[in-house]
Amino acid sequence: MKKSLGRFILLFLFTTLTQASEYEWSVQSNKTEAHVNEAIHLKYTCNYADSAELYVIEFNPTTDNKNYKIVILREDEKIVNGKKINEYEFVLFVKNRGKFVLSLDTLMKQTNKDSIENGMLGRDNANYEEFSLYPYKQKSVEVNILETMSSMVGEFTLSIKKDKTELKAYEPYHLEFLVSGLGDFQVFKDVAYKIEGVKVFSEEAKEEIVLTADGYKGTWRKKFAFVSDKNFSIPSLETEYFDLKENKIKTLRFDGLDIVISPAKFEKKQLLDPSEEILVWDKSYLYYILLFFAGFLVAKIKFIRPKVQDSDEKLFCKRVKEVDSLEKLSFILVTQDAKKYKELIFKIENKELRSLKNLKNLICS
């Protein structure tokens, strides 16, 4: 009797749990027409007729190919009035003009008879779950894609932070670019300078962006320091992009700068330490020694710097520990305190110090 009752209960539970839950998928697109590389928000929803405990969905079409890029924005599962709802949101970027059709594949997984029996009877030899698989083809999304004549699409502004254009010889000239707005910052080209007779220090570009339903939103920035003993010019830069708000090509423009350098008023012999006078003189030494002396001018003339607080020291050490090359470390030392670190900068530039790890420990010991 107990055996028959057990079989009856098992059969009842199996029949109850394995009754196929009815479900219905829907898809929404916020645009039927968009430009190349413009963000398109897609929302896929699966509504069940019940709580659908036995169903699992595999749906992650994130990809980046020659035709389009799709990135997941949000995924959610909830029960409303005893009925399960699965929601998936994506941001789509189409890379070519013309009619674009997207139909995504989804896999519905339902726990099958063997998995339920193994779980109910506590079989030790069942160390895996068994599913019935039901491939599902999502309803097609059709979008008419318009040409833009630029791979950079969105709404952007360019801000430039710069020093005065008249400096002493070997005094660092600082320049910073900041691009803010909405668009795919990943297609924004990096900025680099190579100017004859000018030493250019720079940090890697920094992005602070988040993905939204309207695309990537945030900022892109890069800092430079230029050092020279004579007048020089920083070339102009411009980047075209398609403005989605005004529906036309616009330009982010930097007009360039002419930097006027005043000769440094000191004699060569004042720059040499006694220990350095025994070296064979080379013109390249003068360049670096003048650079270090420029740090002294920066500290004495340009800045009135309060006593460094513990928090500032910690921030400086954090920047030092995060660098991954000697060139970046030189940039940080020049901008932090050229006078204090002039010997280290000199040895780095002359390749007398090559161990980045040892230098970090020496600076922030």
Side-chain angles (χ1 to χ4, degrees):
M1 180 66 181
K2 288 184 179 180
K3 187 175 181 181
S4 298
L5 180 59
R7 287 181 177 177
F8 173 77
I9 293 174
L10 180 59
L11 179 62
F12 173 77
L13 290 173
F14 172 74
T15 303
T16 301
L17 292 173
T18 57
Q19 285 179 342
S21 299
E22 294 183 0
Y23 56 84
E24 182 179 5
W25 280 93
S26 63
V27 57
Q28 295 176 315
S29 172
N30 69 334
K31 296 170 185 174
T32 57
E33 187 172 83
H35 291 88
V36 171
N37 286 327
E38 179 179 354
I40 303 167
H41 180 225
L42 303 178
K43 182 177 181 180
Y44 291 83
T45 305
C46 183
N47 289 288
Y48 294 88
D50 52 34
S51 58
E53 294 95 340
L54 301 181
Y55 271 94
V56 177
I57 301 174
E58 285 190 6
F59 189 30
N60 184 19
T62 300
T63 188
D64 188 357
N65 57 46
K66 65 178 182 179
N67 297 317
Y68 69 93
K69 178 172 72 172
I70 186 168
V71 187
I72 189 164
L73 177 64
R74 188 180 69 90
E75 180 179 340
D76 186 42
E77 180 177 292
K78 56 189 175 183
I79 302 292
V80 180
N81 297 326
K83 299 178 181 180
K84 185 162 77 171
I85 301 174
N86 287 101
E87 294 179 336
Y88 301 84
E89 294 183 46
F90 303 95
V91 182
L92 170 68
F93 302 90
V94 184
K95 300 179 181 180
N96 303 297
R97 69 176 183 177
K99 183 179 180 180
F100 179 80
V101 180
L102 179 69
S103 180
L104 300 176
D105 294 320
T106 311
L107 186 63
M108 307 294 293
K109 299 172 66 176
Q110 182 186 26
T111 305
N112 62 22
K113 174 182 175 182
D114 290 339
S115 181
I116 293 174
E117 287 183 347
N118 291 336
M120 290 179 176
L121 298 178
R123 294 174 180 166
D124 295 334
N125 62 343
N127 56 2
Y128 59 92
E129 292 183 306
E130 298 178 16
F131 295 91
S132 296
L133 307 179
Y134 302 97
Y136 184 89
K137 194 75 171 177
Q138 295 287 350
K139 183 180 178 181
S140 296
V141 173
E142 297 185 7
V143 185
N144 183 33
I145 304 299
L146 306 176
E147 184 59 88
T148 61
M149 304 301 293
S150 174
S151 60
M152 189 172 175
V153 175
E155 300 171 28
F156 300 98
T157 58
L158 172 62
S159 301
I160 301 171
K161 185 177 179 181
K162 51 192 176 183
D163 284 346
K164 62 181 182 180
T165 56
E166 296 184 3
L167 304 172
K168 300 288 186 180
Y170 298 99
E171 182 179 354
Y173 179 83
H174 298 93
L175 181 66
E176 178 180 351
F177 295 102
L178 174 65
V179 179
S180 306
L182 174 69
D184 193 348
F185 286 81
Q186 296 181 30
V187 302
F188 191 79
K189 293 183 179 179
D190 201 357
V191 178
Y193 278 110
K194 189 174 183 180
I195 305 173
E196 185 176 355
V198 180
K199 182 67 176 177
V200 182
F201 298 90
S202 66
E203 292 182 324
E204 288 187 0
K206 295 182 179 179
E207 289 184 352
E208 296 180 1
I209 59 175
V210 294
L211 181 64
T212 71
D214 297 319
Y216 292 98
K217 183 179 294 185
T219 60
W220 175 99
R221 71 173 67 233
K222 187 163 186 177
K223 298 179 181 180
F224 292 88
F226 304 84
V227 180
S228 181
D229 64 337
K230 58 185 177 182
N231 296 347
F232 65 93
S233 296
I234 301 176
S236 62
L237 292 172
E238 61 179 43
T239 299
E240 288 188 343
Y241 72 97
F242 184 83
D243 190 287
L244 293 172
K245 191 173 183 179
E246 300 185 21
N247 285 325
K248 66 178 183 180
I249 293 290
K250 296 180 71 174
T251 303
L252 298 177
R253 187 189 309 277
F254 165 60
D255 292 329
L257 291 167
D258 292 323
I259 310 302
V260 179
I261 303 296
S262 300
K265 296 180 180 180
F266 49 81
E267 297 181 6
K268 180 173 64 177
K269 65 181 181 180
Q270 295 176 316
L271 300 174
L272 295 175
D273 293 329
S275 61
E276 294 176 320
E277 292 179 353
I278 62 174
L279 297 176
V280 176
W281 179 254
D282 187 297
K283 290 183 179 180
S284 63
Y285 295 153
L286 176 61
Y287 172 85
Y288 294 110
I289 295 171
L290 290 176
L291 172 59
F292 305 144
F293 191 82
F296 176 82
L297 294 177
V298 172
K300 290 292 185 181
I301 300 174
K302 185 174 181 180
F303 300 107
I304 300 176
R305 185 171 296 175
K307 184 179 180 180
V308 177
Q309 302 297 318
D310 289 343
S311 58
D312 294 333
E313 186 69 23
K314 290 180 180 178
L315 181 60
F316 167 65
C317 285
K318 182 180 179 182
R319 293 180 64 203
V320 169
K321 291 177 180 178
E322 288 177 351
V323 298
D324 56 7
S325 71
L326 291 174
E327 183 179 1
K328 295 176 186 176
L329 182 59
S330 294
F331 176 83
I332 291 176
L333 296 180
V334 168
T335 55
Q336 177 72 14
D337 193 331
K339 176 186 174 183
K340 179 178 179 181
Y341 298 107
K342 65 179 183 179
E343 292 185 8
L344 286 179
I345 299 170
F346 179 83
K347 291 180 180 180
I348 292 172
E349 293 293 336
N350 285 277
K351 303 187 184 303
E352 294 179 23
L353 296 176
R354 298 174 180 269
S355 173
L356 184 61
K357 181 179 179 181
N358 290 342
L359 276 169
K360 289 181 180 181
N361 293 333
L362 179 62
I363 295 169
C364 296
S365 58

